[in-house]
Amino acid sequence: ATEVNGTGVAICAGCDDGSLVVWMCHDDGQKEVIHKHAPKRGGGACSAVKWVTTVGHAEPILFAGFATGKLVSFALSGGVIRPMSRIMLGSAVRCITATGGLLLAGCGDGSLQ
């Protein structure tokens, strides 16, 4: 997933081992890892990632869903990623989308949460 901001492009990837990595590709060509969420034992794969920017909220929010049903959010501010929230959905997260201020997660059990 990618997010364009005033200093470059933030690129996020979820990994099978449960880790989550965010790189910042600056406008001057420099690239750096700005966040690495280490895998947790039994945490499951990071199966979906989505950047969301909402009206009235200056910081883009990164949502990451995991095979365990965990959904976490992080804010990107000044080139730094900071954790915001974490919830359990009860079924593996397969995809994430946002529309009209609503965040939706498609889950492995066929539900939309």
Side-chain angles (χ1 to χ4, degrees):
T2 59
E3 170 66 27
V4 178
N5 64 31
T7 61
V9 178
I11 301 172
C12 176
C15 304
D16 284 342
D17 68 357
S19 61
L20 174 74
V21 182
V22 182
W23 297 268
M24 180 61 74
C25 299
H26 297 279
D27 292 338
D28 64 5
Q30 288 186 326
K31 298 172 190 76
E32 66 176 316
V33 173
I34 60 170
H35 181 77
K36 182 160 184 177
H37 181 85
K40 308 270 193 243
R41 186 191 311 167
C46 181
S47 51
V49 292
K50 175 74 175 174
W51 288 103
V52 176
T53 303
T54 58
V55 175
H57 198 275
E59 301 172 330
I61 307 299
L62 172 63
F63 292 93
F66 294 82
T68 58
K70 180 173 63 173
L71 182 66
V72 298
S73 65
F74 302 88
L76 172 62
S77 179
V80 176
I81 296 285
R82 62 179 170 78
M84 292 183 58
S85 64
R86 173 180 33 202
I87 62 171
M88 290 299 292
L89 298 179
S91 182
V93 177
R94 298 287 185 231
C95 62
I96 303 168
T97 192
T99 181
L102 186 64
L103 182 74
L104 300 169
C107 296
D109 64 0
S111 66
L112 186 62
Q113 299 191 37

